[in-house]
Amino acid sequence: MELKIGWLYPTLMSTYGDRGNAICLQQRALWRGIETSIVRLDRDCDAKTFEEVDIFVGGGAQDRQQEIVMRDLQGAKASAMRAAIEAGVPGVFTCGSPQLLGHYYEPALGQRIEGLGILDLVSKHPGFEAKRCIGNLAFEIAASPLAEELQAMLGKPAVIIGFENHGGRTYLGSVQALGKVLRGYGNNGEDGTEGAFYRNAIATYSHGPLLPKNPFVADWLLQKALERKSSQAVSLEPLDNTLALQARSAMFKRLDLATLANTP
Ligand code: GLN
């Protein structure tokens, strides 16, 4: 069985290092003998290619590139993407990607850009005079059933370490927040929410990239993808996460969250 990792618009949406999420998924699968391929969902690919994806990875982008993507991701491709997420295909969507999965994004310059409307959220850039939300980010996963599933995996609440860099502010409608901000800005720097969670789609402002810093999220995505594909329960072989744990401990200390320093 081969998992297809669908990487959204790599030539346009690779500004913030989120490619590391695709590499992390691929490597953690490989260490367990699971074959993967990375499918580049660029402008020249058709809707059928979207239908074959087992895990989506979408990264951040600058407003200009995001606008080009949002214009391309219409019609049959948009329907395929919507159907996949509704059907529970797992995915990790970072920063610019969640903005395009919401109802719209209002850039600092130019017109409002319509999004796919899969996530009940809107994003607005308040203008270039407003401060960008930049810095290390820590948040506790709060969305259900993700929080419970990760807690069962870890034996304690899941805390994400990441890095954010965005001008846009996101405001949630009825969609669940992915987490509760411990350090940093999160969705908008106002309401303490970070990201969104819908079906098996994880939307977040956290770069880092997210998955190498929080390998349990990579494993959750792989497990969901394998379970969907095989129609049976899957339990992944544990891996040695020593280096990731050391990096996490260092960041927790730096962010004055030392009590979390031993969190997986
Ligand atoms: N262009 C968007 C913003 O500034 C997304 C940035 C990003 O993907 N890091 O809000």
Side-chain angles (χ1 to χ4, degrees):
M1 183 166 42
E2 185 198 69
L3 288 182
K4 286 196 164 65
I5 301 169
W7 183 10
L8 287 168
Y9 298 89
T11 53
L12 290 162
M13 302 193 68
S14 290
T15 319
Y16 295 87
D18 301 309
R19 165 175 171 263
N21 289 336
I23 296 170
C24 179
L25 285 169
Q26 190 160 45
Q27 188 59 48
R28 291 182 77 81
L30 184 70
W31 278 330
R32 294 167 165 122
I34 303 161
E35 278 183 46
T36 57
S37 61
I38 294 185
V39 182
R40 297 170 67 93
L41 302 171
D42 257 317
R43 275 184 295 178
D44 54 2
C45 94
D46 56 11
K48 176 111 186 38
T49 316
F50 278 73
E51 288 166 16
E52 291 163 359
V53 167
D54 298 306
I55 307 180
F56 284 101
V57 175
Q62 288 155 310
D63 285 11
R64 175 81 188 101
Q65 282 71 15
Q66 207 168 308
E67 188 177 342
I68 300 169
V69 167
M70 282 165 104
R71 291 199 199 296
D72 185 70
L73 197 47
Q74 304 282 343
K77 286 189 200 179
S79 306
M81 181 90 203
R82 192 172 293 114
I85 291 182
E86 289 294 345
V89 174
V92 57
F93 304 95
T94 311
C95 202
S97 291
Q99 291 174 353
L100 62 91
L101 295 183
H103 297 296
Y104 61 80
Y105 176 58
E106 285 178 5
L109 272 182
Q111 302 289 311
R112 175 186 282 194
I113 313 162
E114 295 304 317
L116 293 178
I118 300 172
L119 303 179
D120 187 13
L121 57 84
V122 300
S123 304
K124 306 170 192 189
H125 194 303
F128 292 128
E129 45 313 317
K131 223 173 117 191
R132 280 182 77 78
C133 303
I134 303 179
N136 289 306
L137 172 66
F139 63 95
E140 183 174 327
I141 297 282
S144 190
L146 180 66
E148 294 79 5
E149 290 177 10
L150 292 178
Q151 177 148 2
M153 199 192 261
L154 303 172
K156 53 183 93 175
V159 178
I160 301 293
I161 284 286
F163 187 86
E164 60 188 322
N165 184 353
H166 52 110
R169 272 62 165 174
T170 292
Y171 300 91
L172 305 179
S174 61
V175 69
Q176 288 191 83
L178 175 65
K180 194 171 85 160
V181 174
L182 301 173
R183 295 288 183 271
Y185 299 89
N187 283 337
N188 48 52
E190 297 161 34
D191 62 16
T193 65
E194 159 49 27
F197 181 71
Y198 180 66
R199 304 286 185 199
N200 288 322
I202 293 175
T204 179
Y205 269 115
S206 179
H207 303 290
L210 177 84
L211 299 183
K213 283 188 167 177
N214 305 276
F216 51 89
V217 181
D219 288 353
W220 183 88
L221 290 163
L222 288 172
Q223 187 176 342
K224 289 288 164 196
L226 289 166
E227 286 180 345
R228 266 185 58 78
K229 199 145 188 160
S230 65
S231 304
Q232 61 188 31
V234 167
S235 138
L236 290 176
E237 197 186 307
L239 296 175
D240 177 3
N241 292 327
T242 308
L243 286 176
L245 290 181
Q246 284 173 356
R248 289 170 61 76
S249 282
M251 280 312 301
F252 282 128
K253 284 181 193 144
R254 198 191 293 181
L255 295 176
D256 209 11
L257 291 167
T259 51
L260 299 173
N262 294 320
T263 302

